[in-house]
Amino acid sequence: MYFSKSRLRGVVSTQPSTVFFTLRPAAVQQFSASARLKASRGAMFRKAVNNHTAPAKPPLQPNASRANTNSFSASQPTAPIVGAKRKLDMTNSGQSDLGSLHSAVYFEADDFDSDPDLDFEIQHPLPQSQNIIPTSTNPGPGSTSGPTISTNISKVNTVSAYLVQDEIKYPDLPKLEDRHREPAAPPSSAPIPWSSSPPSHHLPPPPPPKKRTIPWQTSESKTDIKNPITPAAQRTTSKKVDLPWNKTASAMKDEQKELRKISKKKLASADDHQKRKPRERVASLFLSDEQKGVLDAVVEKEKSIFFTGSAGTGKSVLMREIIKKLRDKYRRDPDRIAVTASTGLAACNIEGVTLHSFAGIGLGKEPAAELVKKVRKNQKARNRWSRTKVLVVDEVSMVDGDLFDKLEEIARRIRNNGRPFGGIQLVVTGDFFQLPPVPETSTREAKFAFDAATWCTSIQHTILLTHVFRQKDPTFAEMLNEMRLGKISPQTIEAFRSLSRPLDFHDSLEATELFPTRAEVENANAARMRTLSGDVMTFNAIDSGSILDKTHRERLLSNCMAPPTIHLKKGAQVMLIKNMEDTLVNGSVGRVVAFMDESTFDHYRTNEDDFTGDGKEGSDDDSKARKKLRALAHGKEGGVTTGRKWPLVCFVQPDGTERHLLCQPESWKIELPNGEIQAMRTQVPLILAWALSIHKAQGQTLPRVKVDLGKVFEKGQAYVALSRATSQAGLQVSRFDPKKVMVHPKVIGFYSNLTSINAVIKDRSYGGINGGNKRQKLNEDAADDQFSKYMSV
Ligand SMILES: Nc1ncnc2c1ncn2[C@@H]1O[C@H](COP(=O)(O)OP(=O)(O)OP(=O)(O)O)[C@@H](O)[C@H]1O
Ligand SMILES: [Mg+2]
């Protein structure tokens, strides 16, 4: 073994006359032989030391920094004081394993002169060239080319007074051989990062051969296999019997089988728990007559329908009801219904897949013939096309017209059926006045689905829903309708301009600000979070599903309303993104008031009156209630804080009353018609709600909304943003400009040809809901009537 110069460089003091070392104890034993060699060649040893030059830091610095990154900062003095400074750092650093190895063993070069053991020459087992690395061949970063020791002294003076004493008092150390016997010294086999010894030298000596232990021969190991997560198992993991190489292949297989069983059981019990969890979900709404008419046409008459209507006419509510009824109808063959949407977000909202995913066409940019070949090669996609009887498409306004034609051709050819869409019944909804399709290339203008060559033959009936549920105030509904059609009267412009004032509410909820881009949303929410004091609670989603490729799965789930991670603080404004109860639905906005576990919440719920104040900020009642809630959240109010803590959110309902909900994780699925869950995310059903993107807001109903129209840039954006609001009192609009309300002329043309289902129902002469060919006649007769009704202002 050798005592390399690089080691010396790291520890040599800056006193030229009195050299001291900080030796890694592991090196002490190694040092014995080499020191003897060197001491016997005293001159050579001193030369080695004197030749040692200042920049001692480089060889050790990385190790020191690794050992305790906190104790080193960039601003700390560097090379010149390294010997001294590092010694102090390392010996003081309790956390550093390097530091502990450095437990301050000091000695002077002269120590060895008086050591009788050093007075004999030993024959080193290895040739010298292998043991002492010559300076020339191993200059290292701190070799002779660096600053000299004297340079170091002057700099060290400023750092450590005791280093400049003429004579330094070193601790009285036991003799070297005594030190060898110190029980505290780590074994010499402890690996030293810069040692050039081969790893095998650090290995402990091989144990004497033992009788082989086979797992099934010990009762302990049997228990371990049955219950690998018991403490016993954990304890035994360090025993030799549990080491994988001590098991036979069949024993390993048995163990894996047991583990699989256990994890299956766990999953099943988690599932059971989910199922058993009492959940008062949203009760079915009473559908209006027009909604019922559509439902009947789809489920009973099995017609291919496109139902549309302005924002808030209950298209989504109706679509959910249709899906429910269809699933019930085809409960024996659930894969007969394909639930899809134009975008990932819309698909996630109805627990379906994107049209692209369903079709198995990738991006779908190739010509139809190639896509047909592609689908034919993909057995799963082929099966989906063949099995589907009803194809549901939500948010059709964002489906490209060319894509619609391609899908129609694929359906016909894969199903070998010449009827439109190969005989598949289409149930399509959306509002073309809202967000348009994203064009395939920037050079070509967006083509709407109704512009597809096969739209008219594929859709038997187009139905217009006219009753607006979202806005109860007919004046406001009419203002929004004008905006939708892009024909805004001067009075309406004035009315919108008057909404630039700040909202006037007396509770703690603020308006949700809608932005066109995601970056603006993230900045706005992050800025608001920073203003809150208190601890950040982080909730990470659990993702699963049949798609094992992580990137692919993440891409699918990136469209999910639930984020992969959400950071919350007490006081954060949040939006519920799942329908929970009648009044707590997707879009409800509230504020996080505490984080608590389920049992504490149960206690809170049963004594709710104690925890609700009069709502007036600063009042006695309110502060008492807050105190109680705080105490409860900290487990001081009788609640047993046993489990994981979840956000407790106080939602303000439309009638002004408050509801508290403990927001525990919910699941969002991306599910193929055959029931295969491609991807699933489980996360607390909340997102930050000071700000939201217009894209994510599409489809939402929001009680308080703030929009800066100066920022919108896309057709339909202004209408989507403003039509989220339920009332004028809950809407703040800045920079309202009628020019920002852009409507595509093709969309106006398309809607001018529609009539409402009410008109059809009223006038039986049309024979109820009309067939595809009759529709044109109906449209011709009723279009002027209807359009003049909607364009009346
Ligand atoms: N039959 C109904 N009875 C009572 N409320 C209803 C009914 N249908 C819908 N609503 C309510 O009207 C609001 C808007 O409904 P929904 O979101 O389905 O409209 P939409 O047409 O899909 O709107 P958008 O085009 O903005 O997505 C929701 O708050 C919903 O609960
Ligand atoms: Mg909707």
Side-chain angles (χ1 to χ4, degrees):
M1 302 300 284
Y2 66 90
F3 194 21
S4 82
K5 193 164 179 230
S6 63
R7 275 192 227 174
L8 280 172
R9 274 197 300 275
V11 293
V12 173
S13 98
T14 53
Q15 277 290 61
S17 58
T18 317
V19 177
F20 73 90
F21 305 99
T22 304
L23 266 191
R24 283 149 187 82
V28 171
Q29 286 179 357
Q30 299 164 13
F31 176 77
S32 171
S34 58
R36 284 165 201 172
L37 263 178
K38 287 184 182 172
S40 67
R41 302 180 193 111
M44 187 179 158
F45 179 78
R46 283 191 191 86
K47 190 166 174 267
V49 172
N50 288 332
N51 276 351
H52 167 70
T53 48
K57 187 172 182 182
L60 270 181
Q61 174 70 20
N63 295 322
S65 333
R66 265 200 308 274
N68 186 358
T69 46
N70 291 337
S71 64
F72 274 83
S73 74
S75 59
Q76 276 177 316
T78 51
I81 58 156
V82 159
K85 179 71 179 169
R86 187 181 300 112
K87 178 174 74 69
L88 295 172
D89 279 349
M90 286 175 176
T91 51
N92 289 339
S93 166
Q95 290 167 347
S96 153
D97 52 345
L98 190 62
S100 69
L101 284 173
H102 257 280
S103 52
V105 182
Y106 304 110
F107 58 89
E108 297 177 28
D110 291 349
D111 281 352
F112 307 105
D113 290 344
S114 60
D115 190 337
D117 286 353
L118 297 177
D119 283 338
F120 65 93
E121 290 276 341
I122 56 161
Q123 191 61 46
H124 203 277
L126 292 173
Q128 191 174 319
S129 61
Q130 273 179 272
N131 291 299
I132 300 173
I133 299 172
T135 313
S136 57
T137 56
N138 184 28
S143 68
T144 49
S145 58
T148 60
I149 287 172
S150 58
T151 323
N152 294 340
I153 296 169
S154 62
K155 296 199 177 167
V156 171
N157 284 345
T158 63
V159 176
S160 178
Y162 90 92
L163 290 174
V164 293
Q165 288 169 6
D166 284 337
E167 208 177 320
I168 298 172
K169 295 276 180 234
Y170 296 107
D172 287 338
L173 295 173
K175 280 189 175 176
L176 194 57
E177 61 270 37
D178 291 336
R179 278 179 246 155
H180 284 264
R181 284 195 290 274
E182 273 177 20
S188 62
S189 57
I192 300 167
W194 53 85
S195 168
S196 64
S197 303
S200 60
H201 286 195
H202 300 303
L203 292 176
K210 270 187 187 171
K211 204 181 155 210
R212 197 161 163 236
T213 321
I214 301 168
W216 51 87
Q217 284 176 344
T218 64
S219 56
E220 215 175 1
S221 59
K222 269 184 201 163
T223 331
D224 293 342
I225 291 172
K226 276 190 181 150
N227 190 3
I229 50 165
T230 57
Q234 284 164 13
R235 276 200 303 277
T236 54
T237 46
S238 59
K239 290 192 179 174
K240 201 145 178 87
V241 288
D242 265 3
L243 297 173
W245 50 86
N246 275 346
K247 289 173 187 167
T248 60
S250 60
M252 296 273 278
K253 265 190 186 165
D254 283 352
E255 193 170 321
Q256 280 169 356
K257 220 164 140 185
E258 287 294 332
L259 283 169
R260 270 199 297 274
K261 266 190 205 165
I262 289 166
S263 74
K264 256 190 194 170
K265 261 189 207 165
K266 268 193 197 166
L267 277 179
S269 72
D271 229 37
D272 275 3
H273 177 73
Q274 278 293 91
K275 278 179 204 155
R276 270 188 272 117
K277 228 165 99 179
R279 165 78 48 78
E280 313 144 53
R281 286 291 192 192
V282 185
S284 283
L285 290 167
F286 289 104
L287 296 185
S288 64
D289 282 349
E290 28 177 40
Q291 285 172 323
K292 276 189 205 151
V294 177
L295 184 72
D296 181 64
V298 170
V299 181
E300 303 303 328
K301 300 196 173 71
E302 300 188 355
K303 301 288 183 194
S304 279
I305 299 274
F306 165 55
F307 62 94
T308 183
S310 60
T313 46
K315 299 183 293 296
S316 297
V317 163
L318 174 58
M319 187 55 118
R320 278 197 286 274
E321 199 59 25
I322 289 174
I323 294 170
K324 208 160 91 185
K325 286 277 186 300
L326 285 174
R327 288 215 159 119
D328 200 34
K329 183 174 171 180
Y330 292 100
R331 62 185 167 278
R332 281 165 199 235
D333 298 303
D335 61 342
R336 296 293 190 179
I337 308 156
V339 177
T340 73
S342 52
T343 67
L345 184 63
C348 210
N349 282 342
I350 52 168
E351 299 206 330
V353 288
T354 58
L355 251 182
H356 288 82
S357 242
F358 162 79
I361 53 168
L363 292 176
K365 301 210 180 217
E366 304 92 320
E370 274 180 43
L371 293 176
V372 170
K373 275 188 211 156
K374 199 172 183 172
V375 174
R376 282 216 170 102
K377 279 188 213 148
N378 177 345
Q379 200 200 338
K380 278 187 175 180
R382 208 174 56 221
N383 279 350
R384 281 200 295 275
W385 277 113
S386 312
R387 298 277 302 160
T388 300
K389 276 195 163 192
V390 190
L391 176 61
V392 169
V393 185
D394 201 4
E395 300 290 3
V396 74
S397 70
M398 286 182 274
V399 172
D400 184 84
D402 285 343
L403 175 72
F404 190 91
D405 281 335
K406 286 175 190 173
L407 294 175
E408 200 276 338
E409 187 173 338
I410 292 170
R412 260 187 296 114
R413 290 177 57 180
I414 297 287
R415 293 166 65 88
N416 212 10
N417 181 330
R419 290 191 293 156
F421 254 90
I424 293 176
Q425 180 192 355
L426 291 189
V427 183
V428 180
T429 191
D431 177 14
F432 288 109
F433 281 108
Q434 297 186 32
L435 301 182
V438 181
E440 268 183 21
T441 56
S442 52
T443 49
R444 123 163 140 68
E445 216 194 311
K447 183 172 174 181
F448 290 97
F450 60 73
D451 257 350
T454 56
W455 173 265
C456 278
T457 47
S458 306
I459 302 289
Q460 292 172 288
H461 307 287
T462 299
I463 300 169
L464 187 67
L465 300 177
T466 56
H467 184 88
V468 179
F469 291 96
R470 187 172 290 138
Q471 293 87 20
K472 306 252 172 331
D473 166 17
T475 317
F476 186 40
E478 195 52 47
M479 279 165 67
L480 289 171
N481 211 18
E482 284 180 37
M483 193 178 170
R484 174 174 183 254
L485 302 167
K487 296 229 166 162
I488 313 174
S489 67
Q491 301 94 297
T492 302
I493 293 173
E494 226 14 74
F496 274 126
R497 286 200 172 131
S498 69
L499 298 181
S500 61
R501 84 289 177 240
L503 297 188
D504 185 22
F505 286 101
H506 299 290
D507 55 43
S508 57
L509 283 191
E510 294 169 42
T512 301
E513 195 164 0
L514 302 183
F515 290 99
T517 66
R518 209 165 55 186
E520 289 167 299
V521 173
E522 280 166 9
N523 287 342
N525 279 330
R528 300 307 303 272
M529 274 289 275
R530 280 196 294 275
T531 63
L532 296 177
S533 55
D535 296 337
V536 179
M537 293 282 280
T538 300
F539 299 90
N540 291 314
I542 297 172
D543 294 346
S544 55
S546 60
I547 292 178
L548 299 176
D549 175 35
K550 216 173 153 226
T551 338
H552 186 189
R553 194 163 72 191
E554 272 168 14
R555 193 156 39 82
L556 282 182
L557 288 170
S558 66
N559 295 307
C560 181
M561 274 296 261
T565 299
I566 178 164
H567 304 287
L568 296 173
K569 277 185 189 174
K570 234 164 81 179
Q573 181 158 307
V574 287
M575 187 171 103
L576 195 61
I577 48 172
K578 264 267 163 158
N579 290 329
M580 305 299 287
E581 296 174 16
D582 268 352
T583 51
L584 295 178
V585 292
N586 189 353
S588 298
V589 177
R591 195 167 283 281
V592 177
V593 289
F595 295 95
M596 60 174 69
D597 66 16
E598 212 176 339
S599 50
T600 311
F601 179 67
D602 283 343
H603 174 80
Y604 165 76
R605 201 162 40 174
T606 45
N607 303 285
E608 194 165 358
D609 289 347
D610 295 353
F611 301 99
T612 40
D614 58 7
K616 285 181 195 136
E617 281 282 338
S619 75
D620 267 5
D621 254 14
D622 208 50
S623 65
K624 262 188 220 160
R626 269 173 221 276
K627 260 188 202 160
K628 278 206 158 199
L629 195 59
R630 234 187 342 258
L632 184 74
H634 289 98
K636 295 175 197 157
E637 270 289 334
V640 192
T641 48
T642 47
R644 170 94 208 255
K645 290 187 176 181
W646 305 110
L648 177 68
V649 181
C650 173
F651 291 98
V652 180
Q653 298 178 106
D655 63 1
T657 56
E658 289 183 348
R659 289 283 311 273
H660 286 85
L661 179 75
L662 187 71
C663 296
Q664 288 175 279
E666 292 284 329
S667 293
W668 286 260
K669 294 179 213 156
I670 294 171
E671 193 173 346
L672 286 170
N674 64 359
E676 177 189 326
I677 296 170
Q678 286 193 302
M680 182 165 98
R681 170 161 292 170
T682 306
Q683 173 64 293
V684 292
L686 298 172
I687 53 173
L688 290 175
W690 287 292
L692 197 64
S693 69
I694 296 176
H695 177 59
K696 274 202 173 176
Q698 190 177 23
Q700 301 285 358
T701 300
L702 298 170
R704 292 170 204 179
V705 186
K706 192 173 159 188
V707 188
D708 178 357
L709 275 196
K711 290 180 176 167
V712 307
F713 52 84
E714 177 66 277
K715 291 190 183 73
Q717 259 181 356
Y719 174 63
V720 169
L722 269 56
S723 60
R724 302 306 103 197
T726 51
S727 64
Q728 292 190 64
L731 175 65
Q732 182 184 350
V733 190
S734 44
R735 294 197 274 176
F736 185 86
D737 177 358
K739 285 197 209 103
K740 285 279 175 180
V741 184
M742 299 161 280
V743 182
H744 205 290
K746 278 190 181 168
V747 176
I748 298 178
F750 173 73
Y751 276 86
S752 67
N753 284 327
L754 298 185
T755 188
S756 78
I757 192 169
N758 276 342
V760 180
I761 292 165
K762 267 187 218 148
D763 192 347
R764 288 289 165 188
S765 64
Y766 288 119
I769 296 165
N770 290 271
N773 295 331
K774 284 182 198 161
R775 182 170 66 88
Q776 216 46 49
K777 168 86 177 77
L778 165 78
N779 287 341
E780 279 162 22
D781 291 345
D784 290 344
D785 229 354
Q786 289 299 318
F787 196 56
S788 57
K789 183 183 158 201
Y790 290 106
M791 304 289 281
S792 59
V793 193

